Amino acid sequence: MDHGDQALREVLEMGLSVRLGRRTRIEEMRREPFNGATAYASEVLTVRLLDHGVFKVFVKDFRSSTLPKDEPVARCRRELGVYRELLTEADLGTAGYYGSVETGTDGRHQLLFEFVDGIDLRSSEFPHWVRSAGWLARLHGSFVEKTERLAACDFLVRHEAEFFTSRAAAALRAVGEFSEALEDRLRFLLGGYGSVVEAMVNQPRTLVHGSYRPNNILVRAESTTRPDR
């Protein structure tokens, strides 16, 4: 067993012990790639415990991504912080968090979660889409009165007016590099964007999901929905 596997085993034993409420040890650990990953390299661990319990664990590896990602270290820190410091006490039905393994000196980790067996929302019936919207409302409602707690989490992105206007400016630059005519059209469409930004930043402060898309939402076999992250 190499050093990386040993570190992962130790972290996972601790996380599963906390989850089960008793000290447990891993007898066997089998790894296989997860083919449903949307960006980051992922795998599934089948873990057999000495007391004969078997768990499947989802491993999300922030060291590599099939899609370009800005600020990868900050992204890793943000997801780690949200799971470890916010969602574990929120009772929203998100995948259980078992721990993280630092994989180098650049701040990127492997994150260990409960494996959720289900199908993505894109392949689900319409009622599941409605339930997914309801889950998002519960997320927002759960944190709307915890502004001080959110303010203390320096890993979160603050959606202030500058955040939204900078996105519009970046879109104009990107389109302008391709076509001056398209840039003019986009500039026209953004004519009323200032009032939209004002409306958004004047909403009550809460936690929002950064990537709530159908391909990132799983529907369990028992017909409940939850985000995969």
Side-chain angles (χ1 to χ4, degrees):
M1 180 184 304
D2 63 27
H3 175 73
D5 280 351
Q6 180 62 36
L8 188 149
R9 179 186 290 260
E10 292 174 358
V11 169
L12 191 52
E13 284 182 343
M14 182 177 298
L16 288 171
S17 295
V18 171
R19 181 71 178 268
L20 296 171
R22 66 177 189 275
R23 179 62 179 167
T24 190
R25 298 292 299 275
I26 294 174
E27 180 180 29
E28 180 185 1
M29 188 168 67
R30 188 173 72 253
R31 314 173 77 133
E32 57 185 312
F34 178 67
N35 296 325
T38 56
Y40 291 101
S42 304
E43 61 183 353
V44 177
L45 303 182
T46 301
V47 176
R48 184 178 299 277
L49 305 179
L50 285 174
D51 54 8
H52 306 297
V54 177
F55 287 82
K56 283 194 172 183
V57 179
F58 180 74
V59 182
K60 184 172 183 179
D61 195 333
F62 274 85
R63 290 176 297 182
S64 63
S65 173
T66 58
L67 300 174
K69 299 287 185 179
D70 60 315
E71 301 181 323
V73 175
R75 285 174 176 269
C76 178
R77 181 169 176 260
R78 183 159 56 247
E79 187 158 339
L80 172 60
V82 167
Y83 268 97
R84 185 174 59 192
E85 301 181 30
L86 296 174
L87 292 181
T88 52
E89 301 176 358
D91 193 26
L92 289 168
T94 50
Y97 168 71
Y98 294 144
S100 67
V101 180
E102 190 167 4
T103 54
T105 59
D106 63 358
R108 287 184 285 184
H109 291 65
Q110 289 177 312
L111 305 187
L112 312 179
F113 303 108
E114 169 195 5
F115 178 75
V116 178
D117 191 10
I119 59 174
D120 65 48
L121 185 62
R122 294 173 299 183
S123 305
S124 303
E125 300 294 330
F126 178 73
H128 295 302
W129 292 69
V130 177
R131 294 188 185 101
S132 295
W135 184 91
L136 190 62
R138 290 195 295 276
L139 171 70
H140 294 165
S142 295
F143 288 94
V144 74
E145 295 183 356
K146 299 179 180 178
T147 53
E148 292 185 3
R149 180 76 184 92
L150 295 176
C153 297
D154 62 356
F155 51 81
L156 294 175
V157 174
R158 311 295 168 179
H159 288 191
E160 309 288 357
E162 183 181 358
F163 171 86
F164 294 109
T165 56
S166 67
R167 275 13 184 209
L172 280 171
R173 288 194 301 271
V175 171
E177 292 176 0
F178 178 75
S179 167
E180 185 176 342
L182 288 178
E183 181 183 6
D184 290 340
R185 289 175 61 184
L186 180 57
R187 193 180 303 278
F188 173 78
L189 292 173
L190 290 172
Y193 187 55
S195 60
V196 175
V197 170
E198 183 178 359
M200 289 191 291
V201 299
N202 285 329
Q203 298 301 308
R205 298 294 182 179
T206 189
L207 180 69
V208 298
H209 197 291
S211 188
Y212 202 67
R213 300 192 298 268
N215 61 322
N216 286 336
I217 302 170
L218 292 179
V219 177
R220 279 184 179 273
E222 61 268 30
S223 299
T224 60
T225 56
R226 69 202 298 180
D228 70 346
R229 299 191 298 134

